[in-house]
Each structure stands twice: as C-alpha cells, then as structure tokens.
Amino acid sequence: MLKVDTPKISPQQVEAFERDGVICVKNALDDIWIERMRKAVDKNISIPGPLEGKNTPKKEASAEHTSSLWLVDADFRALAFESPLPKLAVGVLKSEKLNFLADGFFVKRPEANGRIGWHNDLPYWPVQGWQCCKIWLALDTVKQENGRLEYIKGSHQWGRELRERSNPSWFVEPEPHEILSWDMEAGDCLIHHFLTIHHSVTNKSSTQRRAIVTNWTGDDVTYYQRPKAWPFKPLEEIDLPQFNSLKTKKFGEPIDCDIFPRVEVHRHRTHI
C-alpha cells in the first residue's frame, strides 16, 4: 500500500468540481517535476507501451497516446505515487480511500489533425460508481491554437455515457456559453469527473502539446466489466503479472487489486 499526505485543496475548488464537473488547478507541480516528466514522455514516445506489441514498431501519428507506463517506467510510477497528484484526487473526490487506475500521455504533434471528439471517460473503464476523476497535467503551454480541452459545463450531472463517434440521438453539439476551457502553463492541471463530456481541438500551432493523465477512484467505485473497455484486449493476451489480480474480479466487488492499487491517505488532524 502506497502512502501520500492529504492535499490542501480549497472548499471552493471542491464545490466547483461538484457543480461544473471540471476545475483547473494552477501550479499543481513544480518545474522539477515537469522537466522530469517531459524527459519521461520524450523517452517513451517512440517505444511501444506495456499494453502494445513489443515487436511492432510504433508508427508516428498526429496524436500519440500510450497508457500504463507506471508498470514499467520509474518516472511515471513516481508521478502516480509520490507527486502531489493523488493528493489532489482524494481532495476533490472527498473519499476515505483512493485507488489508482492507470496513467498515460498524449502528445499532439505540430500542425496535425489530432482532434478528439466529444466523449466522457466512464464508458472506457471497467468500473462503476460516482467518485472517479481524471487529472490532465500540462507539460507545455496549452492554448486554443495547440489543442486545448473543452468541457460541457455540468454534463457529469446528466448521468449519460458517451463514447467518441457514437452519435447518440440525445447528444447535440453544445452552445459556446456551455463550454469551459482554460489556457494553461506547464505544471497546471485539469481535474474532471469521469462523466464530464469533453473534447480537444486540433493543434494548429508550430509546437507540440504534451500532457500526462492519471485516473483515480474513491469509496463507492466497484468492478464492472464493460465491452470495449480498458485494457482494450483480452487479459490472457497481457503478459504482465499485475493483471493476474484482475482475472478473478467479479461484478460489484471493490476494485482493490495489484493493477488498481489502493493508495493509503494520511490525514493530518489537529488535536486539542
């Protein structure tokens, strides 16, 4: 069990997260962490990830994505369990316990058509429950021109799941006044609920846009095997020992296991 301290996240931030489904936290990580993770992303960008075929060369794409680096890379593991990120997650979820699902990075190459369509995250995970969030950490300046994220305000409260390109009859493109987005600097992060509908726009700039995501769950989240959900391949095809703990999971059980480790949270209390 991995240990972190409780963060100092304001009641106003928690209120905004619960109301809007997303918040932007400035200066979540310092320059030392950012430079370390930039090097980690750059090192892994052309290498097949732990859930990809090891003997298959990685083709260059307009938007690169690799997940579950914490299983094989010490820097990504440190980010997940030793940085301030889990402190932020447990703070917004208001949870007694915290589980880590997986990490990943996204790199949008310059002047590339790497738009990600409207969706929310819950349909892609083998979990069910309300206390779940993603932290999207900027490693570069993020603006409209280079592919920032945009969110439909309060859409997590609709209680509807949306996959990219699924085009259900109930979903329509939102009006501009319903959109939340932020210009960001390296070290800032977005924290959004798994049900908040969002997308990212094309990188029209001459520079790349790098970001790392980490995914977190709290008290009420249980195992729920979904079709076409992470890890997006049969467990029998994954040669990583941590996945053995997932093979025996049953519907409705707590998700605690080697691949979804529980993080022990120490809360500082004042004794009078």
Side-chain angles (χ1 to χ4, degrees), residues 63-126:
E64 298 284 357
H65 173 54
T66 301
S67 69
S68 303
L69 271 298
W70 74 277
L71 294 170
V72 296
D73 187 283
D75 293 318
F76 278 88
R77 184 175 177 83
L79 180 74
F81 303 120
E82 299 172 19
S83 79
L85 297 189
K87 306 174 185 181
L88 295 173
V90 77
V92 298
L93 295 177
K94 297 196 299 189
S95 180
E96 289 298 315
K97 78 161 187 168
L98 184 70
N99 286 80
F100 176 65
L101 294 188
D103 59 17
F105 66 75
F106 291 90
V107 178
K108 284 198 172 187
R109 298 188 185 278
E111 300 175 345
N113 184 21
R115 180 184 182 275
I116 305 299
W118 291 106
H119 70 283
N120 52 22
D121 295 340
L122 189 58
Y124 299 96
W125 289 102

Side-chain angles (χ1 to χ4, degrees), residues 126-128 222-226 246-255:
V127 300
Q128 190 73 288
T222 57
Y223 183 70
Y224 183 82
Q225 184 54 58
R226 301 167 179 273
L246 200 58
K247 294 176 182 178
T248 58
K249 277 290 172 190
K250 295 181 175 58
F251 173 85
E253 290 183 342
I255 67 169

